[in-house]
């Protein structure tokens, strides 16, 4: 499981100019089952995406395809974690500690 934290590197008017493309990109990855939740940070200086996956390199490559990245309006910080406890609706994503 991964937490993708976006931090805006440009004013929000430049972010908003690419927002529709970013939302379409999000929708594509919700459809594939990779993204589980997302939203703006408060205050609005970026966003957060919760993603399912087992390969950090794949998630990093995916983040690089975000239209926000192509437009140079955000940067990503990616944190991998083991989801060992979940809400019942997230049971399919529950993980076990190694060993």
């Amino acid at each position: 499981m991964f937490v993708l934290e976006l931090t805006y590197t440009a004013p929000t008017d430049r972010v908003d100019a690419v927002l529709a493309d970013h939302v379409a990109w999000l929708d594509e990855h919700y459809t594939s089952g990779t993204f589980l939740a997302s939203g703006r940070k408060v205050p609005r200086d970026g966003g957060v995406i919760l993603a399912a996956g087992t390969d950090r390199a794949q998630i990093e490559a995916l983040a690089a395809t975000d239209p926000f990245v192509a437009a140079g309006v955000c940067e990503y910080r990616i944190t991998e974690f083991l989801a060992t406890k979940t809400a019942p609706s997230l049971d399919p994503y529950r993980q076990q500690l190694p060993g």
Side-chain angles (χ1 to χ4, degrees):
M1 194 74 70
F2 297 87
V3 176
L4 289 68
E5 182 181 7
L6 295 74
T7 301
Y8 296 149
T9 58
T12 54
D13 62 323
R14 286 193 47 216
V15 172
D16 287 342
V18 192
L19 186 57
D21 292 337
H22 172 74
V23 170
W25 176 82
L26 288 170
D27 289 344
E28 175 184 342
H29 297 292
Y30 274 108
T31 299
S32 75
T34 301
F35 291 169
L36 306 177
S38 62
R40 292 179 178 172
K41 291 193 286 186
V42 178
R44 187 181 176 201
D45 60 1
V48 175
I49 301 168
L50 181 61
T54 57
D55 185 330
R56 183 182 182 90
Q58 178 187 13
I59 295 295
E60 289 173 352
L62 180 66
T65 67
D66 183 346
F68 278 176
V69 172
V73 301
C74 89
E75 57 187 32
Y76 273 87
R77 176 175 176 241
I78 299 173
T79 303
E80 184 173 1
F81 73 101
L82 294 174
T84 57
K85 188 161 182 69
T86 63
S89 60
L90 293 176
D91 280 352
Y93 302 99
R94 191 172 297 156
Q95 298 170 286
Q96 299 295 317
L97 291 174

